[in-house]
Amino acid sequence: MTELGWISTAISTARPQAMGALLRYFRDLDAAEEAFQDACLRALNNWPKNGPPRDPAAWLIFVGRNSGIDAVRKRAKQAPLPEEDQISDLEDAETDIAERLDGAHYRDDILRLLFICCHPDLPATQQIAVALRIVSGLTVKQIARAFLVGESAMEQRITRAKARIADAGVPFETPGAVERSERLAAVAAMVYLIFNEGYSTNSGEAPARAPLCEEAIRLARLLLRLFQTEPEIMGLTALLLLQHARAPARFDENGEIVLLEDQDRGLWSRKMIDEGLALVDKALRHQKPGPYQVQAAIAALHARAAKPEDTDWTEIDLLYSLLEQMQPSPVVTLNRAVAVAKVRGPEAALAMIEPLEQRLSGYFHFFGLKGGLLMQLGRGEEARTAFDRAIALANTAAEAAHIRMHIDRLMKEGAAQGASRKAH
């Protein structure tokens, strides 16, 4: 690794911890970010000459805090500094910084930093953008590219989000056990949002949006290091790994979607699968099941199947039934219907999803599945109607192309049946 390479890696790794501590000191997102950036510039000047510090995060926090206080002095010119409790909630960093970093304080710092990014007042897209900018350190250009928007539009989105955060009044005191649990759940949901933003894409956009999946996995691993005994965080991390492991096989050479049962499983990342399976097993041993663990267990059954026909659809049906109880949702029932079709046939699956049509009237996957089930039952005209609706709702060109493939198959089957009738 080059000299700049190791410095970049060290700064990137230390960023969440350093930003979290600086946010606690200054209680202002912009001030914390400016202090961190100044510390990074000093690191680029200092570290190549003096070598890496023993603890890069502690170095960046200490230098960033001093830099931030200097900035407060300059802005105030000769005016007195604000009261200490306005810029720091603890005593001077020089006397107890090691104690702070060695204790559990840093865990709440990082959790707070992530938590303010997923404030409920922020739309999901702003939550993701702010987290990627503040916590992950991606540039506005990188985030804009991932979201397929212009830099100026993304800059405005992040600025608006930070203004809302500033007005939100997020508490800076160390949270109690209940609040910490609530924050952790909100942060886990945001990490999953980041992953899905990268995962729900087409082949043309995949290279630009793949970093979102990778960053979500990095954040999940960070949470796992902070909360090592939380089975739901194990489940979340496992779920992301097992889903992302299939990325190389999700599209064919023409950019068309490849369904799970048709994917070349030799292209799946064995390393990610092994890590994900180990986490699933570890989480389930805690016997405290949660939604992420159940979803990860479903993904694990797919990953363990060497061939599509080896998939344990009965167990998947049972797991989706459990997920329906934990997290009632028409989308969960729709996903369960896929397993039901495998276990009890398309008629039972169709009966399961038909009551969902009103609630899922704008959902592409509902009509795609409905069309597929109707096609299996030989109800071609009804299948064609469902597929047409799916095309109208398609989010990507790849989704629309996948449905057109089914329609082409229906037309060929219809033509073959017509030819057969004429022959007789």
Side-chain angles (χ1 to χ4, degrees):
M1 186 179 290
T2 64
E3 191 170 80
L4 284 178
W6 71 256
I7 293 175
S8 175
T9 300
I11 288 175
S12 177
T13 302
R15 183 183 179 98
Q17 185 175 342
M19 275 294 298
L22 292 170
L23 178 64
R24 170 160 50 86
Y25 293 140
F26 298 107
R27 304 190 176 202
D28 179 89
L29 206 50
D30 285 329
E33 194 173 12
E34 287 173 15
F36 179 77
Q37 293 299 336
D38 191 64
C40 289
L41 289 173
R42 297 189 188 195
L44 288 171
N45 182 57
N46 182 284
W47 293 359
K49 292 184 290 186
N50 299 326
R54 182 181 61 82
D55 187 337
W59 193 99
L60 290 166
I61 292 168
F62 184 71
V63 172
R65 183 178 187 271
N66 289 341
S67 171
I69 290 173
D70 287 344
V72 170
R73 288 196 178 100
K74 287 177 183 175
R75 282 195 295 270
K77 297 185 179 175
Q78 301 302 316
L81 273 174
E83 293 298 322
E84 177 68 14
D85 62 4
Q86 293 181 32
I87 60 171
S88 173
D89 60 344
L90 291 178
E91 296 175 358
D92 189 77
E94 295 179 57
T95 59
D96 68 345
I97 193 167
E99 181 183 334
R100 293 182 188 177
L101 294 174
D102 291 341
H105 226 318
Y106 75 95
R107 183 175 74 163
D108 289 321
D109 283 343
I110 296 174
L111 185 59
R112 182 191 298 111
L113 180 65
L114 287 162
F115 178 69
I116 66 167
C117 295
C118 58
H119 194 279
D121 287 348
L122 297 181
T125 52
Q126 288 188 11
Q127 291 182 18
I128 296 169
V130 171
L132 293 173
R133 178 73 197 98
I134 301 299
V135 184
S136 303
L138 271 64
T139 65
V140 173
K141 183 177 182 179
Q142 287 173 313
I143 301 169
R145 182 168 177 261
F147 277 88
L148 308 175
V149 299
E151 275 188 68
S152 59
M154 181 53 66
E155 184 74 64
Q156 290 172 7
R157 185 180 298 180
I158 293 172
T159 300
R160 286 195 298 269
K162 287 163 75 174
R164 282 195 182 187
I165 288 169
D167 295 336
V170 177
F172 284 82
E173 292 73 22
T174 300
V178 174
E179 187 181 358
R180 182 181 288 120
S181 177
E182 291 172 350
R183 287 187 177 190
L184 187 57
V187 168
M190 183 196 66
V191 171
Y192 197 32
L193 272 177
I194 293 174
F195 182 84
N196 283 332
E197 194 67 33
Y199 193 77
S200 304
T201 184
N202 60 43
S203 62
E205 298 170 355
R209 296 171 79 89
L212 297 183
C213 293
E214 292 158 6
E215 192 55 40
I217 290 171
R218 192 175 82 89
L219 291 174
R221 284 175 171 149
L222 171 62
L223 286 177
L224 190 57
R225 287 199 301 274
L226 298 176
F227 299 91
Q228 296 180 16
T229 60
E230 287 288 342
E232 269 295 80
I233 301 303
M234 297 176 201
L236 171 65
T237 309
L239 176 60
L240 304 192
L241 287 165
L242 292 170
Q243 288 185 324
H244 198 47
R246 303 196 295 259
R250 290 183 63 217
F251 300 98
D252 65 17
E253 61 274 10
N254 298 316
E256 306 294 343
I257 292 173
V258 181
L259 293 180
L260 182 59
E261 61 188 28
D262 298 323
Q263 289 178 11
D264 179 355
R265 299 185 179 217
L267 296 176
W268 292 359
S269 169
R270 195 70 244 171
K271 183 179 178 183
M272 282 190 181
I273 288 173
D274 290 343
E275 183 182 354
L277 293 179
L279 283 171
V280 170
D281 292 341
K282 184 177 180 182
L284 296 179
R285 284 198 295 272
H286 285 258
Q287 297 186 338
K288 291 169 56 181
Y292 292 121
Q293 293 172 74
V294 174
Q295 292 175 80
I298 292 168
L301 287 170
H302 288 299
R304 286 189 165 108
K307 304 186 295 296
E309 54 268 29
D310 296 336
T311 305
D312 189 345
W313 287 106
T314 301
E315 183 65 20
I316 289 175
D317 179 22
L318 290 172
L319 286 167
Y320 269 122
S321 175
L322 177 60
L323 189 60
E324 278 183 313
Q325 296 171 42
M326 293 178 170
Q327 231 175 29
S329 158
V331 173
V332 172
T333 303
L334 187 70
N335 289 333
R336 184 186 175 193
V338 176
V340 168
K342 299 288 187 181
V343 177
R344 287 177 274 168
E347 195 166 351
L350 189 62
M352 178 179 281
I353 70 168
E354 280 181 333
L356 307 176
E357 183 156 356
Q358 185 174 356
R359 284 183 290 171
L360 296 178
S361 59
Y363 193 51
F364 161 82
H365 294 288
F366 172 82
F367 292 97
L369 177 59
K370 182 179 180 181
L373 295 172
L374 288 166
M375 192 166 71
Q376 290 178 52
L377 292 167
R379 294 158 62 177
E381 285 303 313
E382 293 172 87
R384 175 67 183 262
T385 300
F387 284 145
D388 284 343
R389 178 66 176 150
I391 288 175
L393 294 169
N395 298 304
T396 66
E399 287 180 347
H402 177 71
I403 297 299
R404 289 193 186 96
M405 180 184 69
H406 286 303
I407 293 176
D408 290 344
R409 188 182 302 170
L410 273 176
M411 292 178 67
K412 287 177 184 176
E413 289 175 357
Q417 289 171 1
S420 176
R421 282 194 294 270
K422 285 180 182 179
H424 288 86

